[in-house]
Amino acid sequence: MATRLFHISDVHFGVENRAALDAVARAIHDERPDALVCTGDLTQRATHKQYAAAAVWFEQFDMPVWLDVGNHDMPYYNLWERFSDPFRRFRKLHTAVAVQSFESDDVVLLPLLTTVSAQRRWPWSDGLIRPEALNQALEALRPYRDDPRTIIVTAHHPLHGPQVDGPSDTIGGLAAFPSLAQNGANAVLSGHIHRPFDEDRTIDGSQLQVIGAGTLSTRLRHHAPPSYNVLTCKRGERIKVETRILDRQK
């Protein structure tokens, strides 16, 4: 037996691709994975209407749903809320449809926050890992240091850049990478760039399997069509990643 996860990202309700969402929903209902993981950007502008649409879609599934917050999931039009309580709307959705933890015989999911309401550079949409966010992730990893299962950290932004030896758009990502690996993480799931990938990366002598999901929205980049990943996880083995490419049509 193995644990199967459907990994989606960057749904962007408000500019979502309905055909792609319908295809994923059918596959989930037909194949019944052990959990659905979405690594952020659930909405386009974090409006109440867009969050309501996201809630309707995620509520249809009778299996664990795991959600990360993305840079598009903080208010764009209510600056007071963006700076005083940027994740309030996301927390409401999370409470309604998502689980706080997920473990199986093969895998453990743990979150890493890479999204901030503002930073000292532009664009604010790029990732930033604050020390307290990394410390929370490392503390969450602590009980699993000797666990034989696959320990997966989930985040919205990739920790690394597109080039193996190149820079990362996520401030603190390259420093967080070896810290996570040395404290028991085996893999990192992310989204944000709207392009799927599956690589084994080594930074400062530490290795992680890094897996990115594409988008299920109409905001296509890199000429990459909508897609999602199906992950097959067995303890002690590399995660098997199947990327399913969907029709570009809305």
Side-chain angles (χ1 to χ4, degrees):
M1 297 295 292
T3 298
R4 295 179 76 243
L5 307 175
F6 273 37
H7 174 207
I8 68 174
S9 197
D10 297 79
V11 182
H12 291 283
F13 276 97
V15 292
E16 73 274 18
N17 186 315
R18 293 307 314 185
L21 287 175
D22 290 345
V24 173
R26 286 194 300 270
I28 292 173
H29 289 305
D30 291 344
E31 300 177 41
R32 299 193 57 79
D34 295 287
L36 171 62
V37 179
C38 183
T39 47
D41 277 1
L42 310 169
T43 68
Q44 174 65 6
R45 288 290 182 261
T47 65
H48 293 293
K49 181 179 179 180
Q50 290 167 5
Y51 266 114
V56 169
W57 192 78
F58 283 106
E59 283 172 345
Q60 69 180 293
F61 305 118
D62 59 352
M63 62 196 60
V65 172
W66 178 275
L67 300 180
D68 291 297
V69 65
N71 52 279
H72 277 267
D73 297 324
M74 299 173 290
Y76 271 62
Y77 305 119
N78 186 330
L79 293 181
W80 170 257
E81 185 179 337
R82 182 180 180 93
F83 292 110
S84 63
D85 193 359
F87 304 134
R88 183 178 66 85
R89 302 182 191 191
F90 172 80
R91 287 198 306 271
K92 181 179 178 181
L93 174 68
H94 194 282
T95 299
V97 305
V99 296
Q100 297 291 333
S101 62
F102 179 81
E103 298 186 20
S104 74
D105 290 339
D106 302 287
V107 65
V108 177
L109 298 181
L110 299 171
L112 171 64
L113 180 64
T114 61
T115 301
V116 295
S117 58
Q119 51 186 298
R120 293 182 178 179
R121 61 166 175 171
W122 187 260
W124 288 351
S125 59
D126 287 339
L128 188 154
I129 302 174
R130 299 190 190 279
E132 55 268 30
L134 178 58
N135 288 337
Q136 287 176 359
L138 297 178
E139 188 63 28
L141 280 166
R142 191 180 307 278
Y144 302 101
R145 283 292 297 271
D146 299 316
D147 199 300
R149 293 174 292 180
T150 301
I151 311 301
I152 301 176
V153 172
T154 69
H156 178 58
H157 299 83
L159 306 186
H160 50 81
Q163 304 299 323
V164 173
D165 297 321
S168 170
D169 289 334
T170 299
I171 292 177
L174 296 182
F177 186 106
S179 296
L180 295 171
Q182 292 163 15
N183 282 275
N186 303 114
V188 177
L189 305 186
S190 63
H192 185 61
I193 64 173
H194 295 200
R195 178 177 61 82
F197 59 84
D198 171 24
E199 303 173 6
D200 294 309
R201 284 288 184 103
T202 300
I203 296 177
D204 292 342
S206 297
Q207 181 173 302
L208 288 170
Q209 183 179 0
V210 293
I211 301 168
T215 183
L216 294 178
S217 75
T218 58
R219 302 180 73 247
L220 303 180
R221 301 175 186 162
H222 313 287
H223 305 289
S227 66
Y228 67 101
N229 294 329
V230 178
L231 313 180
T232 302
C233 308
K234 290 185 178 181
R235 62 168 62 195
E237 297 183 10
R238 189 181 189 276
I239 300 170
K240 295 180 180 178
V241 181
E242 175 195 355
T243 297
R244 296 181 178 177
I245 306 299
L246 301 172
D247 197 308
R248 292 174 181 267
Q249 183 178 357
K250 184 175 179 181

